[in-house]
Amino acid sequence: MALRNDFLWGGAIAANQVEGAWNIDVKGMSVADVASYKPALDVKDYAGHNTVTTKMIEEAKNDESTEFYPKRRGIDFYHHYKEDIALFAEMGFKALRISIAWTRIFPDGEEEQPNSLGVNFYKNVFEELKKYDIEPIVTLSHYEMPLHLSDKYNGWVDRKLVDLFVKYAEVCFKEFGPYVKYWLTFNEVDSVRRHPFTTAGVVEDKCKGYSFEKAIYQALHHQYVAAAIATKKCHEIIPGSQMGCMLTKLTTYPNTCNPEDVLLALESNLDNHSHADIQVLGEYPPLYKTYLKNKGILIEKEETDDLILKENKADYLALSYYMSRTESADPTKEQAAGNTVMGVKNPYLPSTDWGWQIDPVGLKISLMELYDRYRVPLMIVENGMGAKDELTSDNKVHDSYRIDYLREHIREMQAAVDLGVDLIGYTSWAPIDLISVSTSQMSKRYGYIYVDQDDLGNGSLDRIRKDSFYWYKKVIASNGAELE
Ligand code: BG6
């Protein structure tokens, strides 16, 4: 079975990691603008490095530099978008996943009227995509909420955020509806649990009268409700639109057939799926409700919340997939890193330079599992390999390791489609080098296009085609038939 003829081949980027221009054209500060450079991030301790305090935020606000806050400069997509989109078009992209920076539309999140300069920027981007027939897939919130809302309300802990987000979403639907059919609400909504500040603006030392843990689950609930209301508005405002939800697919294996290992893996997978259950099936799963109850966490809900979730389910399920993880009941087992998660080292899998375990078959397993469970179309909206690239003296990047990674994942993706999985697109992360979310490094490169910039922001910002650029072009032209 071949991929569908209208298969959405392309790439995915996020505003906070590419745009730069953090303080111009009335843009407000976002949570990404205070994310510092962490070159020495210990991949064995992601959790510790995700702690964000009010003091750290205040220090960042008083520091104008972009050197130690690299997401402020990104790769200057704000001024290079025409050049970048032309390169994506040269590769034959059918789709580009981008996100809208909420702070360009509502700088503080609470203004009465949207910022017309921000609206115009995205209209220009969409016009440019239209020129090349590239379908935009747009995420409304990808780790870039207004910092003001974190400061004032402790982010999504406060119900007020639901209304503010819906207001922002409505502006996007009205302004960009003529260009955009495919939408996503929250990037990796599950990540509120792993990095609550980045995803939901929640800061531990601001939790007064409630626990940090309660704050996280409450924030998540508000995001589910906001996503459901946004889905309703999207359908009303843009006829024929498709609203997806997005999950970090963290497929977990048992380390052995010891039932204790199997149970741990099951719990981890159920936990991961619970976020999609709420958005695609429209309700909190029973086991998850009991889990929260046993933890003593009472989520504050409004009377109509359950109905809102039930009536406004996601049209499709989008996922990011980078690696798999393994659980063991034996605490002495060697650990391995992953996408802001840890797990037991899997002896069958190689790892990237950043210690993420490479598992193409895990993608096939993930797609089978998700399609069997949810029966809605799936879209892979992130998959890729962060690596250290070397630019040769004749301006080439021979990134065969990236080609190998992507080839094997695409092969397994196709195998899942052969088994009957309804898959509508594949946008790899990221088609162009950008600033890493977890470490804010530039040197953790994902692109088919090399960007001449180092970790401290030195470089010409020139765009250079890597070997993988030409490879991916052939893959798209052959609709996935030519992978070698
Ligand atoms: C995904 C995020 O989880 O992982 C992206 O949605 C991110 O924004 C990607 O860039 C890769 O992670 P990192 O830390 O290598 O940038």
Side-chain angles (χ1 to χ4, degrees), residues 169-183 230-243 315:
E170 274 189 271
V171 169
C172 293
F173 300 149
K174 283 181 189 147
E175 296 286 354
F176 311 132
Y179 303 95
V180 184
K181 174 180 172 187
Y182 291 101
W183 295 86
T231 301
K232 183 170 194 277
K233 301 273 181 199
C234 183
H235 291 153
E236 284 167 4
I237 298 170
I238 318 169
S241 57
Q242 295 282 297
M243 177 59 89
D315 299 310

Side-chain angles (χ1 to χ4, degrees), residues 156-390:
W156 280 86
V157 177
D158 198 306
R159 179 87 193 190
K160 176 118 187 157
L161 270 280
V162 174
D163 297 336
L164 294 171
F165 176 81
V166 171
K167 180 176 167 183
Y168 153 67
E170 274 189 271
V171 169
C172 293
F173 300 149
K174 283 181 189 147
E175 296 286 354
F176 311 132
Y179 303 95
V180 184
K181 174 180 172 187
Y182 291 101
W183 295 86
L184 289 164
T185 45
F186 296 94
N187 182 64
E188 301 180 331
V189 68
D190 50 287
S191 65
V192 177
R193 297 266 298 280
R194 299 190 298 282
H195 36 83
F197 176 70
T198 314
T199 318
V202 180
V203 179
E204 184 169 9
D205 64 53
K206 284 205 171 82
C207 298
K208 304 277 184 282
Y210 52 86
S211 70
F212 188 35
E213 198 174 27
K214 151 93 198 240
I216 289 170
Y217 286 101
Q218 189 64 51
L220 264 170
H221 178 70
H222 289 153
Q223 293 201 343
Y224 300 139
V225 173
I229 301 174
T231 301
K232 183 170 194 277
K233 301 273 181 199
C234 183
H235 291 153
E236 284 167 4
I237 298 170
I238 318 169
S241 57
Q242 295 282 297
M243 177 59 89
C245 68
M246 191 199 160
L247 186 69
T248 322
K249 185 66 181 96
L250 295 171
T251 294
T252 301
Y253 304 137
N255 191 46
T256 67
C257 52
N258 173 353
E260 295 300 332
D261 287 357
V262 176
L263 180 62
L264 282 173
L266 175 70
E267 284 170 352
S268 174
N269 286 321
L270 288 181
D271 179 56
N272 183 232
H273 292 152
S274 63
H275 306 274
D277 290 349
I278 295 166
Q279 297 187 275
V280 181
L281 304 179
E283 59 185 11
Y284 278 66
L287 297 190
Y288 186 56
K289 280 202 250 182
T290 313
Y291 169 79
L292 292 176
K293 201 169 143 208
N294 291 344
K295 275 171 124 16
I297 291 173
L298 187 70
I299 292 178
E300 285 155 39
K301 289 185 181 175
E302 287 191 0
E303 226 173 274
T304 50
D305 284 1
D306 286 338
L307 190 65
I308 290 172
L309 295 177
K310 183 118 243 147
E311 288 183 343
N312 302 288
K313 300 176 200 165
D315 299 310
Y316 66 99
L317 172 58
L319 62 138
S320 61
Y321 177 87
Y322 291 88
M323 31 59 62
S324 61
R325 58 188 294 282
T326 301
E327 282 280 2
S328 167
D330 176 355
T332 63
K333 288 275 167 207
E334 189 188 346
Q335 295 282 302
N339 188 1
T340 62
V341 286
M342 298 298 298
V344 163
K345 194 163 176 48
N346 184 332
Y348 298 98
L349 302 177
S351 300
T352 69
D353 293 340
W354 273 261
W356 298 15
Q357 295 188 99
I358 304 172
D359 181 11
V361 175
L363 176 60
K364 179 177 169 188
I365 294 169
S366 301
L367 294 171
M368 290 167 67
E369 224 182 356
L370 291 177
Y371 190 60
D372 185 59
R373 188 177 180 98
Y374 300 111
R375 320 264 165 96
V376 293
L378 304 180
M379 199 190 288
I380 300 168
V381 294
E382 288 186 31
N383 171 236
M385 180 191 191
K388 288 175 192 147
D389 287 341
E390 198 191 314

Side-chain angles (χ1 to χ4, degrees), residues 17 142 187-188 322 339 356 382 429 436-438 444 446:
Q17 293 168 265
H142 190 135
N187 182 64
E188 301 180 331
Y322 291 88
N339 188 1
W356 298 15
E382 288 186 31
W429 187 269
S436 151
V437 150
S438 54
K444 189 177 188 187
Y446 283 88

Side-chain angles (χ1 to χ4, degrees), residues 10-77:
I13 54 179
N16 76 87
Q17 293 168 265
V18 296
E19 284 179 7
W22 68 292
N23 57 359
I24 67 165
D25 289 347
V26 201
K27 181 187 171 293
M29 253 185 137
S30 81
V31 291
D33 295 325
V34 296
S36 60
Y37 174 50
K38 301 185 192 88
L41 179 77
D42 180 359
V43 289
K44 294 194 187 64
D45 181 20
Y46 273 120
H49 285 272
N50 282 320
T51 307
V52 176
T53 63
T54 301
K55 186 166 172 268
M56 287 159 75
I57 296 168
E58 290 308 314
E59 272 169 17
K61 285 205 284 199
N62 293 325
D63 183 343
E64 287 287 300
S65 85
T66 59
E67 196 176 337
F68 294 108
Y69 299 100
K71 287 171 190 152
R72 295 177 179 180
R73 60 179 140 84
I75 52 164
D76 201 22
F77 179 78

